[in-house]
Structures are given as C-alpha cells and as structure tokens.
Amino acid sequence: MNAQGMDATYRRLTQHLPAPLRQYGGTLPHRLGLTRWKDGCWEDFWVLDINRDLPGYAAEDPDRPGHLLVPREVLAHYRAAHHCAAIHGLIADRLVDRQVAPDVGMLVYRGVFLRSWEHELAAALDNRRLARQALAKALVSLRRGTALELKTMALRRMDVATYAVQTREKLRWGGTAAVCLLRHAGQPERAALLERSYDRFCFALQCLDDALDCEEDERTRGTSIPAVLGLPEGALVRALPFLMESAITLAEQARLVRLSTWMRGFARLVGGIQPDGVPAHNEEAGRRLASAAEEVL
C-alpha cells in the first residue's frame, strides 16, 4: 500500500478509535456503495491520480524541475488534508443524496474526517486560523451546491450554467489543499488558475458520470441530469474533449507541467468515447454545453 495514499491516511487516522468504530470503518467504502467488496478500499473508487494526489502535482516548482515548493513533511500534511477532504466529501454526498441511511457510525466518521481535515491543513499551513478559513469556504460552497442541486432536481429543469455552478460548488473541497499550498507558497495567481482548471476537470467528470448514471437516476430519482437539461446523454459525453482542452490550457498557464501532461493523457482516453445517438448532433450539443459551462467556471 502506498504510504502516502488515501487508504494509508484512513488507517492512520482511525487506528485510535474504539474497536467497534474501527470495525465499522473497515467496511465504510462498501457501506457507501463505492466498492462491491465488503473489505474494499477508498482507492477502489478514487482511482484517478490527480484526484488522489492533487497537492503533489501542485507542489512541483516550475522554476526548478525536480524540486518542490514545500518540504516533503509539509507536503505529507497537504496530502493527508486532501484525503480527509475526499473522505468527508464522499460521506456527505452519499448522505445528502440519500443513497445511504444516516446511521450513527457514518455520522461519526463524517465528523472525524472533518476534524482531521482541519488538523492536517493547519499542520501544513502552520496556521489554524487560515486552515479554518479555507475549510469554512469549502463547506459553504458544498452546502450551497447541494441546496442548488436539490432545488433543480425537484423542479426537474435546469440550464447548463446552473449545472456547472452547482457542480463547482459541490466539489470545490477537492482543490482546497492544493490551492492552499500554492497560495501559502506566495503564488496566488497560479493557485487561482489551478482552481479554475480543476473546476473544469471535475465538471467534465461529472458530465461523464451523469451520462453513465441515467438509468440509475431514473430509477432512484425519477429523472436524470440529461433529461433535466433537455439534452441527449451523448451531449454530456462529447462535452468532455472541449472541457478537458480548456482545463489543460489553464493548467499550462499556471505552469503545472505534470498536471497538464496527465490531463492530456486522460483527454485522449475519454476523447475516443462515442455514445449512442447521432454523432454530429452529440458533438454540436456537447460543444454548446462546454462553451456555456466555461462562461461560469
């Protein structure tokens, strides 16, 4: 197991919990529906490298290839904060979407990883006040995005700009640690570009997920995101190449070389997906979707 991976962070931060809670936590990814195996891991679901280690990509010094902007022990705290944010965010998302029942164990773990997120970020920044400010901003965004999503799904109609904004707000926690790293290193311009690049990348992933989850959403929610948007499923899939290209452009402007290289590889992978439907219609609708989203992201 990677000593700096998400599952290693999870084991380290839960090893001091009472035995019944540790036993419960051993099956938490499965309880959340993230893995089909009872003993499955967080990284069975959290598979993309930049999602696992965004702070590591942000920490590289563009002026000194092979060097880091922060000491390795500080980067370890940023990584752990990033993992805690992901675990907290996944639990919160499943609870809000009512995909899981809010039992006591799940609520306890949500609180544990919220506190651990703050602790690790404060250790990285060497400043608890700044860490709390960053967490407060991320949590306000999460609540705002969640409320907007519940409203639009209840109304069963939504425009692309709203879809993009609610996705950005729901997922902003994902970039918190990496953005803090760059800001604290005295590089606020690069931090802002990273945040926007990652927003677009996350929105591209959300489009793909929502296209693939149509049948399940119809069954559990009575509708799907493409239906609410009034677009074919294929439009969401074919928006990915356009969204990825703009995310890559922002990463290049930020001189995030390894990040932009990874994104180019991912873009080649997803760019070859051809969904059902009329290809020309999907392509044009996907282009329009990406263009409308980029105006607000």
Side-chain angles (χ1 to χ4, degrees):
M1 179 182 291
N2 181 357
Q4 294 186 315
M6 189 171 177
D7 288 290
T9 298
Y10 182 72
R11 289 176 185 271
R12 175 173 65 83
L13 294 175
T14 59
Q15 64 182 335
H16 301 300
L17 293 176
L21 275 176
R22 289 201 311 274
Q23 184 177 8
Y24 175 96
T27 60
L28 188 52
H30 175 71
R31 290 173 185 270
L32 292 169
L34 305 178
T35 173
R36 69 181 67 179
W37 303 282
K38 285 190 176 182
D39 60 349
C41 300
W42 295 97
E43 291 179 14
D44 292 338
F45 175 81
W46 210 247
V47 297
L48 298 180
D49 197 53
I50 63 170
N51 284 344
R52 289 179 174 181
D53 187 27
L54 190 63
Y57 283 80
E60 295 193 339
D61 189 340
D63 296 320
R64 297 186 304 154
H67 292 77
L68 299 175
L69 293 169
V70 297
R72 292 192 180 277
E73 58 270 23
V74 174
L75 177 56
H77 285 297
Y78 279 115
R79 282 192 172 113
H82 180 69
H83 298 153
C84 291
I87 293 167
H88 173 270
L90 289 170
I91 296 171
D93 182 67
R94 288 301 195 267
L95 288 172
V96 168
D97 286 348
R98 298 180 181 176
Q99 293 174 282
V100 294
D103 62 35
V104 172
M106 208 159 291
L107 297 176
V108 168
Y109 268 86
R110 182 179 64 179
V112 165
F113 280 92
L114 178 60
R115 292 189 295 274
S116 297
W117 181 10
E118 179 186 319
H119 173 79
E120 294 291 345
L121 192 57
L125 295 168
D126 194 26
N127 189 314
R128 186 164 297 277
R129 180 182 60 82
L130 289 179
R132 286 178 172 171
Q133 287 177 350
L135 257 68
K137 183 178 179 182
L139 293 173
V140 167
S141 290
L142 176 59
R143 292 181 185 122
R144 187 163 50 226
T146 297
L148 187 56
E149 181 183 45
L150 292 173
K151 178 181 178 180
T152 55
M153 293 304 287
L155 293 172
R156 301 203 174 193
R157 66 176 184 274
M158 175 170 57
D159 58 30
V160 171
T162 301
Y163 179 39
V165 168
Q166 76 180 30
T167 300
R168 179 192 69 201
E169 297 299 287
K170 276 191 68 179
L171 300 178
R172 261 285 167 90
W173 50 261
T176 300
V179 169
C180 282
L181 187 157
L182 287 177
R183 285 178 178 158
H184 202 57
Q187 300 185 9
E189 297 85 2
R190 294 183 70 221
L193 287 167
L194 169 61
E195 189 169 56
R196 291 180 60 210
S197 175
Y198 196 59
D199 283 345
R200 294 186 184 188
F201 170 73
C202 289
F203 181 62
L205 286 188
Q206 190 67 55
C207 285
L208 182 59
D209 285 347
D210 286 336
L212 296 176
D213 290 346
C214 279
E215 289 186 12
E216 181 182 352
D217 287 345
E218 290 281 359
R219 184 174 63 254
T220 59
R221 293 181 168 189
T223 189
S224 67
I225 292 296
V228 171
L229 289 168
L231 292 171
E233 297 170 25
L236 275 69
V237 176
R238 294 310 302 164
L240 264 71
F242 305 109
L243 291 165
M244 287 305 306
E245 192 57 41
S246 63
I248 291 164
T249 297
L250 290 167
E252 289 175 340
Q253 290 174 7
R255 296 193 297 156
L256 293 159
V257 176
R258 192 159 70 99
L259 182 66
S260 59
T261 299
W262 187 94
M263 283 184 170
R264 285 207 176 278
F266 182 76
R268 285 192 295 271
L269 178 67
V270 298
I273 301 174
Q274 292 297 334
D276 294 337
V278 180
H281 292 171
N282 287 336
E283 197 77 9
E284 180 56 31
R287 185 190 302 272
R288 291 198 307 270
L289 189 160
S291 178
E294 287 163 7
E295 290 184 7
V296 296
L297 294 179

